[in-house]
C-alpha cells in the first residue's frame, strides 16, 4: 500500500482546493480541511499536523513531524519553499505574559489569544526544529538555520539563525538561475 493518499482519497479529505501531484501522508493529521489550499507538486510527510487556514504554493515540501497551526489568521507558504522535520509555524498562540490564563480548554474571556497571519515567501527554506511565531513574514529567499526561533519578520535573501533568529549573512541568489531554467521546461 502506498504511504500517500491516492487521488480518489484526496478528494474525500474535503480540502478547499488542491492542484496536481499532491502527496499527503496517510499519517498526516488535518483539521479544518475546508480551510486548506494546496498548490501543485506539494508533499506533506508523516506525522505532520495542519490545522486552520493554511495555503501552500507550488513545489512545497513539508517534512516529517511539522506543525502548521493557521487558526483563523492563516499561514501562507510561497512557491518552492520547504520546512524541515520538526518545524512549527504558529499563526495563533496564547499570551504567555501571565496577564491572562492559557490553554484552549478555558473560556475565551479568560484568555488573550494572539492571532496574526504568517507569510513564508518564495524560495524560503526553514531548518529542522525551527519555530515561527504569529505575525512573522519571511521575505523571499530567506534561509532559517536549524533550531532557530523566528519571532519577528525577516528581510528577503538573508540567512537567519539563533534564538531569537538574527540575520548573519546574505543568501546566494544562484538558485534563481536554476528556477528560471526549470520553469522554462514546464
Amino acid at each position: 500500500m502506498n504511504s500517500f493518499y491516492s487521488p480518489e482519497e484526496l478528494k474525500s479529505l474535503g480540502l478547499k482546493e488542491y492542484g496536481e501531484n499532491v502527496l499527503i501522508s496517510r499519517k498526516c493529521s488535518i483539521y479544518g480541511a475546508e480551510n486548506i489550499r494546496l498548490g501543485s507538486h506539494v508533499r506533506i510527510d508523516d506525522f505532520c499536523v495542519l490545522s486552520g487556514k493554511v495555503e501552500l504554493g507550488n513545489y512545497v515540501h513539508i517534512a516529517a513531524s511539522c506543525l502548521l497551526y493557521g487558526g483563523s489568521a492563516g499561514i501562507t507558504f510561497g512557491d518552492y519553499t520547504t520546512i524541515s522535520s520538526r518545524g512549527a509555524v504558529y499563526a495563533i498562540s496564547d499570551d504567555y505574559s501571565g496577564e491572562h490564563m492559557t490553554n484552549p480548554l478555558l473560556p475565551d474571556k479568560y484568555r488573550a489569544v494572539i492571532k496574526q497571519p504568517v507569510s513564508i515567501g518564495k524560495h524560503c527554506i526553514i531548518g529542522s526544529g525551527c519555530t515561527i511565531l504569529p505575525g512573522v513574514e519571511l521575505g523571499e529567499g530567506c534561509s532559517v538555520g536549524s533550531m532557530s526561533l523566528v519571532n519577528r519578520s525577516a528581510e528577503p535573501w538573508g540567512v537567519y539563525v539563533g534564538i531569537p533568529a538574527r540575520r548573519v549573512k546574505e543568501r546566494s541568489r544562484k538558485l534563481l538561475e536554476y528556477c528560471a531554467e526549470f520553469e522554462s521546461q514546464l
Side-chain angles (χ1 to χ4, degrees):
M1 177 159 99
N2 192 332
S3 63
F4 295 106
Y5 288 116
S6 70
E8 295 77 29
E9 291 169 321
L10 273 178
K11 288 178 189 174
S12 72
L13 293 178
L15 298 170
K16 186 169 192 171
E17 182 180 324
Y18 64 94
E20 299 174 4
N21 191 31
V22 171
L23 299 172
I24 300 176
S25 169
R26 295 174 192 278
K27 296 177 182 176
C28 173
S29 296
I30 296 174
Y31 302 96
E34 68 278 5
N35 298 309
I36 297 174
R37 291 181 170 182
L38 308 176
S40 294
H41 312 285
V42 169
R43 189 175 104 190
I44 302 170
D45 291 340
D46 292 349
F47 314 117
C48 291
V49 175
L50 277 68
S51 177
K53 186 177 174 186
V54 175
E55 185 170 330
L56 307 180
N58 299 313
Y59 296 97
V60 173
H61 178 220
I62 310 299
S65 301
C66 285
L67 311 172
L68 305 181
Y69 294 111
S72 60
I75 297 168
T76 304
F77 275 66
D79 298 343
Y80 307 108
T81 61
T82 188
I83 182 168
S84 192
S85 59
R86 296 178 293 103
V89 181
Y90 298 91
I92 185 168
S93 177
D94 277 309
D95 172 4
Y96 282 56
S97 71
E99 296 293 319
H100 302 87
M101 294 180 76
T102 61
N103 97 47
L105 300 175
L106 298 168
D108 286 345
K109 71 180 187 177
Y110 300 114
R111 300 173 64 209
V113 178
I114 299 161
K115 300 175 184 177
Q116 296 176 336
V118 174
S119 176
I120 312 296
K122 285 176 71 171
H123 302 292
C124 287
I125 182 167
I126 301 166
S128 178
C130 287
T131 300
I132 312 287
L133 295 181
V136 166
E137 291 183 34
L138 289 184
E140 180 176 301
C142 281
S143 171
V144 180
S146 294
M147 304 301 291
S148 294
L149 170 68
V150 185
N151 62 357
R152 60 181 174 259
S153 295
E155 295 296 317
W157 297 102
V159 175
Y160 290 81
V161 298
I163 301 174
R166 66 187 188 346
R167 189 180 185 114
V168 294
K169 67 180 187 176
E170 291 293 309
R171 185 172 183 219
S172 172
R173 297 178 194 215
K174 174 80 172 163
L175 65 88
L176 294 175
E177 294 174 27
Y178 294 114
C179 185
E181 179 183 328
F182 173 73
E183 288 180 341
S184 73
Q185 296 173 20
L186 297 177

